[in-house]
Amino acid sequence: APVKPAPPAPWLGVRVGTNAAGALAVDFVSPDGPSAAVGLAVGDIITAIDGVAVTSVDALKAAIATHAPADV
């Protein structure tokens, strides 16, 4: 049987890191990504996804993975 390609993964189009205060800070926004389209900018702090606190990059990735591409 032919192998089906994996469906596209959800993505924000940002790179984040932990700032001096321990918060998830956006340090890059892809100009053609979904985050740029809604106004996310370098320096913004991500605190939650769908009302669920995210305190690490791994938690952010896990929260994003529960969504389909183009979820808003």
Side-chain angles (χ1 to χ4, degrees):
V3 176
K4 284 178 78 175
W11 69 298
L12 294 178
V14 298
R15 184 178 63 222
V16 298
T18 305
N19 68 11
L24 291 178
V26 175
D27 58 24
F28 172 80
V29 179
S30 176
D32 60 343
S35 293
V38 297
L40 205 62
V42 171
D44 285 349
I45 304 297
I46 299 174
T47 60
I49 301 288
D50 290 337
V52 178
V54 290
T55 57
S56 70
V57 173
D58 288 338
L60 177 63
K61 288 178 182 178
I64 294 166
T66 66
H67 291 274
D71 278 355
V72 178

